[in-house]
Amino acid sequence: MKIADMRSKSEDQLKDQLVQLKKEQFNLRFQQATGQLEKTARMKEVRRDIARVKTLLREQAKAEAEA
């Protein structure tokens, strides 16, 4: 997902997306452990999307603290 798309979302939407991404990450790790994972690159994408969401949440919190 693009960072520009994420910036337009509210804090609640970002938190919901973070929960969904963490669930997907868990499922991907489970599939990898059982040998069922086909798209190994998806793990990297999900991990980076989680980092992007966390970064945006931190930026928003910092902006609110300064204001």
Side-chain angles (χ1 to χ4, degrees):
M1 179 172 270
K2 301 279 185 182
I3 193 83
D5 297 335
M6 289 183 188
R7 287 193 191 277
S8 64
K9 295 186 177 186
S10 70
E11 184 177 348
D12 290 334
Q13 289 173 327
L14 287 173
K15 287 181 181 179
D16 289 341
Q17 186 175 7
L18 182 61
V19 169
Q20 290 174 351
L21 287 167
K22 287 197 176 246
K23 285 181 183 177
E24 183 178 356
Q25 184 182 38
F26 174 80
N27 289 332
L28 289 171
R29 275 190 277 141
F30 195 86
Q31 287 176 10
Q32 184 181 30
T34 59
Q36 297 174 352
L37 184 63
E38 294 179 8
K39 297 182 180 179
T40 56
R42 183 67 184 144
M43 291 183 72
K44 184 177 179 180
E45 293 171 9
V46 170
R47 191 173 67 245
R48 288 186 176 185
D49 284 343
I50 289 172
R52 286 184 186 111
V53 170
K54 284 184 174 182
T55 301
L56 285 175
L57 287 171
R58 181 168 162 82
E59 285 177 358
Q60 289 177 357
K62 188 176 179 182
E64 289 176 8
E66 291 176 356

